[in-house]
Structure formats: structure tokens, C-alpha cells
Amino acid sequence: MADKLQSQVFDMPIKVLIIDDSALVRQTITEILNSTSDIKVIASAPDPIVGVRRIHDERPDVIILDIEMARMDGLTFLKKMNETIDPIPCVICSSLVEKGSPESLKALEYGAAEIILKPSVGTKKFFEESKVLLVEAVKSANSCQGKIKQLIPSQAKMHASQESNFSIPAKKVDVQKISSIKNEDDDIQELEEVDDMPKLPETPIAMGHVQPKLSADVILEKPNPAFAPIDTTDTVIVVGASTGGTEALKDFLTMLPENSPGLVIVQHMPEHFTASFAQRLNSLCKIAVHEAEDGDMVQRGQALIAPGNHHMLLKRQGKDYYVEIKDGPLVSRHRPSVDVLFRSAARYAGKNAIGIIMTGMGDDGAKGMKEMHDAGAFNIAQDEASCIVYGMPCEAVKAGAVDKIVPLSEIAQTMLNNAKIRK
């Protein structure tokens, strides 16, 4: 705990441990993260068993974790980590979290702070070109310090105790007492020898600067106040969320009745993972929940979730609303971007819209929500106490974009009440 607090209080770099069986991946991620001033890779390991030893040498703030590894897979490690008293936020980075795979659902269930879909080929080039994605994932995970258990559906209550077989305190302990991991000296020596790899040449892309932060201007023009959308019978709901949003959205959407106004949602997630997320929500909610496809109509009793790695815009034809799915650069360092969705709502729905901004790191959505506010929309922000990370809602409040701040448990009813008033 002392190490973690020191990093936060004295604004020291975020300390990262990389656990991946590929020497190339470990080296590439190390070079990319160490090229930023506020992140430092303190150690790497070829599997979780060696990773535990690294943690006992020096506790990291964030762990980047592969899934498929020798002797213990990453999901087992993640589950055990998050059952401890003071878990370390983990970023799952694997080629297995795709296409609604069981691994993607388990990563969500076990409380991964962030998830990155790693390609099965061309991994080094992918990381070099996705520096922003990797850096933002680490920062987002670090912002979850002390709130990891709130990301885990099955852990509403504290399950761990001081006697946990996988307890990882800040101080160094006897690794051989971790009964859930076979930890013979010969095995450790063998793995540590594997971990001693030759240094790879530095790459210009990895050592470069973080790409500039683009606004929604690169996707869609600002709304023109002189051409306000005409009133419609139905209200449309637009929602933005990031870190902690998967559970927040579940709690919010399961409270909605079958005749709820149509919803359009951006949750920061990697490509393919949003499909399984939508399927999970669809099985829990009274309303229908789907991953959005280009041209889908916004209908009562239905929520559309933006597909990962694509922007989603709200559009209008006559009195009907539909969504447009499109490619484009990162906006506010995200794709999909909440700012893009909210700007489109300001432009095409105006005062017919209700905006909701939930837990998440950074400021994505703040500018777009202010544009919605100026266009006459009613906007709701999740309060600080119920947020995993009070970043996005806080920035929206600072921008003067929010009409009402409420706890997560009250967002659904607040939305429904205002939807009736605005009919």
C-alpha cells in the first residue's frame, strides 16, 4: 500500500508489470510505455508464477496481462488477484478476447480494469501504431485503484481475508506460502533464464510522441443554433461511459421498463468485445440490447451499443432516428468517442434528447454534452460517490453541460421522469 500511495501522492510515474509469454511483446510494450514520462515498466515476467515473485520484489500500480501462458493462464491469475484484499488493477491484453469468446466474458466477470484485443499476428506493429490505446488503458486502469471489486459482478461483498492463499501485500512475503501456485526453485530458475532476452533495437514509432488529441470536428461539423431540430413525439437517450461503465450500464439498463425510450450508447471497449457485452446485457434486461449496425433504427424498448473501434452517430430521417457507424481517427483519444455521439445528438435531436454521462477516466463527452445542453437537451451526470472514476462526469459538470447530478441508482428514474415531461 505504501508503494501505491507514494506513486499517487508524489505524482510519480505509474509503475507497470508486464506478464506475457512472448519476449517480443514484453520488450515492445516496455519500450512504448517507457517512452512516456508518466509511466515506468518496473518488471516483466513470462507467466504469472514469475509475476508473483516480481510483485513481491516491488508492487506495481498496474499489471498488463496476457491470457494464454504456461503453468497458469491469465484469467486464473486475474480471478485470484481480485479475490485479495487489495488487488492490483489488471489490463488484459490478449488475442483471445474476440468475437464474443468465453475468455472475453470471463475477463469482464473477473474484473479486468481494461481490455485490449491483441492480434494473433503482427503484434509488434500493432503496439507501435496503437501507443495511444495502450497508454490510455494503463492510465485508466491506474485510476481504478481501490475500486477494483466494484468492477466484479460476483463480488458485491468483500470475499478476501488476511488469510487468503494468494494474498499480495505491499511488503515482501515468502512466495512458497502461496499454496495455489507450484513454486519450485528449479522451475523459477528455468523461467528466469527464459526471461533474460537480448535487447531489441528501439523503434522510431514506439519512441515517438503521443498523437495529438483530436476533437469531434474531424468526424462531424458543430451544430448550427440557427437550424435547431424540430420537436418529435419520442425522446432519444444518448449515453457515454468508460472505466467502470460495464457494471454501471448493467445496473442502469436493468432498471428500465420494456417501453423505455430508445437508447444509443458508447462504452469504451475494444473491437468484437462489444458484441458479447451487448449479448450479456440483452439476457439481463427487460429492453432489447444489441451491438449497433449501420442504419439501425432507434426504437422504444431497445438500446444500441456502439461497436468497438468504430464511431457511432445519431442521425434523423423525418421523425425517425437511426445510427450511422463509421470509421475515422481517434476523437478525444477514443474510438468510439462519446463526444462524437453527443455532438450528433446535439445536431440531429437537440431538445428531443436526454444525455447521460457515467463513470470514466478523462474528458470524452464533456464538449459534446455542452453542445447538447446548448441545443436544449436535458443532461444527467453520475455522481462522484457512485463512480469508479469520476473523470468524464466531472469534466462535463465543469463545462456547465449538466442539468442534474444523481447517484447511479437514480439515473434510470431521473431519465424516465424527464422523458415524460419532454413528450
Side-chain angles (χ1 to χ4, degrees):
M1 180 68 74
D3 286 345
K4 180 175 68 177
L5 291 176
Q6 187 178 20
S7 290
Q8 295 171 339
V9 173
F10 295 100
D11 199 27
M12 294 178 65
I14 300 168
K15 296 184 293 186
V16 175
L17 167 65
I18 302 166
I19 304 180
D20 194 296
D21 62 352
S22 167
L24 179 61
V25 168
R26 295 195 300 271
Q27 183 68 33
T28 303
I29 295 178
T30 297
E31 290 179 349
I32 291 172
L33 295 182
N34 282 346
S35 70
T36 65
S37 60
D38 47 1
I39 300 176
K40 179 183 179 182
V41 177
I42 59 171
S44 65
D47 75 6
I49 295 178
V50 178
V52 170
R53 290 178 64 91
R54 302 288 188 258
I55 292 169
H56 291 157
D57 290 338
E58 182 177 7
R59 180 186 171 97
D61 299 311
V62 173
I63 297 173
I64 296 179
L65 185 64
D66 191 14
I67 289 181
E68 199 170 28
M69 292 177 286
R71 302 203 294 178
M72 176 180 280
D73 66 90
L75 290 176
T76 299
F77 176 85
L78 175 66
K79 185 174 186 294
K80 290 179 177 292
M81 167 63 72
N82 288 344
E83 288 173 350
T84 63
I85 295 173
D86 186 22
I88 300 169
C90 292
V91 175
I92 291 291
C93 183
S94 172
S95 59
L96 298 182
V97 285
E98 63 177 344
K99 299 180 181 178
S101 66
E103 288 83 3
S104 65
L105 294 176
K106 286 182 179 179
L108 181 65
E109 179 185 348
Y110 294 164
E114 289 289 335
I115 297 175
I116 296 175
L117 177 61
K118 180 176 66 178
S120 55
V121 295
T123 305
K124 186 172 186 288
K125 186 174 185 293
F126 165 78
F127 282 124
E128 291 170 351
E129 294 179 347
S130 305
K131 178 175 180 177
V132 171
L133 174 66
L134 187 59
V135 169
E136 290 298 310
V138 169
K139 291 181 178 179
S140 178
N142 185 59
S143 67
C144 295
Q145 296 285 352
K147 295 187 176 182
I148 287 297
K149 291 186 180 297
Q150 296 180 40
L151 297 174
I152 308 172
S154 61
Q155 289 197 26
K157 297 181 179 180
M158 182 73 71
H159 291 307
S161 68
Q162 293 283 1
E163 298 177 354
S164 171
N165 285 337
F166 198 74
S167 179
I168 304 179
K171 294 183 179 180
K172 189 172 182 178
V173 299
D174 185 353
V175 182
Q176 293 182 354
K177 290 183 179 179
I178 302 175
S179 60
S180 59
I181 298 179
K182 183 181 178 182
N183 194 12
E184 298 177 359
D185 291 340
D186 290 343
D187 290 338
I188 293 299
Q189 179 62 35
E190 178 183 349
L191 283 169
E192 288 184 337
E193 289 175 355
V194 172
D195 198 34
D196 292 333
M197 60 190 175
K199 182 174 176 59
L200 299 176
E202 294 183 351
T203 59
I205 298 177
M207 296 299 104
H209 297 292
V210 174
Q211 298 172 11
K213 188 175 182 179
L214 302 177
S215 73
D217 293 346
V218 298
I219 302 295
L220 182 68
E221 292 182 359
K222 291 181 180 179
N224 187 339
F227 299 96
I230 62 172
D231 288 347
T232 61
T233 304
D234 288 331
T235 299
V236 61
I237 315 299
V238 290
V239 184
S242 187
T243 310
T246 53
E247 281 303 298
L249 284 170
K250 185 206 73 173
D251 292 347
F252 164 62
L253 293 176
T254 52
M255 295 181 192
L256 298 181
E258 293 180 358
N259 65 342
S260 167
L263 300 99
V264 184
I265 300 169
V266 163
Q267 161 71 47
H268 295 157
M269 272 188 170
E271 193 171 11
H272 302 304
F273 194 78
T274 42
S276 57
F277 176 58
Q279 290 169 8
R280 173 175 174 256
L281 291 176
N282 189 60
S283 69
L284 299 172
C285 298
K286 295 177 183 177
I287 64 171
V289 184
H290 304 292
E291 182 184 53
E293 296 183 7
D294 189 47
D296 278 351
M297 303 301 297
V298 180
Q299 300 175 337
R300 276 190 168 272
Q302 177 180 269
L304 298 173
I305 296 179
N309 201 36
H310 294 82
H311 292 300
M312 181 166 68
L313 289 75
L314 179 71
K315 291 291 188 76
R316 180 172 169 177
Q317 185 173 22
K319 66 180 181 64
D320 298 321
Y321 293 102
Y322 66 97
V323 296
E324 178 183 353
I325 308 300
K326 65 187 303 181
D327 295 325
L330 301 180
V331 172
S332 299
R333 299 200 173 126
H334 293 284
R335 185 175 54 237
S337 166
V338 182
D339 269 329
V340 169
L341 174 62
F342 283 1
R343 171 171 288 189
S344 69
R347 181 166 180 167
Y348 294 102
K351 62 182 180 180
N352 302 307
I354 293 178
I356 299 173
I357 193 161
M358 293 181 168
T359 175
M361 190 190 79
D363 62 359
D364 187 26
K367 292 179 181 178
M369 181 165 268
K370 180 61 165 65
E371 292 170 353
M372 288 182 62
H373 180 271
D374 293 345
F378 182 85
N379 293 331
I380 303 167
Q382 184 178 348
D383 72 351
E384 183 175 5
S386 64
C387 281
I388 297 294
V389 181
Y390 189 58
M392 287 162 49
C394 179
E395 293 302 319
V397 171
K398 288 180 181 178
V402 175
D403 296 287
K404 195 159 188 179
I405 304 170
V406 297
L408 174 61
S409 59
E410 297 179 16
I411 291 178
Q413 192 58 55
T414 303
M415 181 210 82
L416 292 171
N417 290 343
N418 281 277
K420 291 178 183 177
I421 291 172
R422 300 167 78 78
K423 288 179 77 173

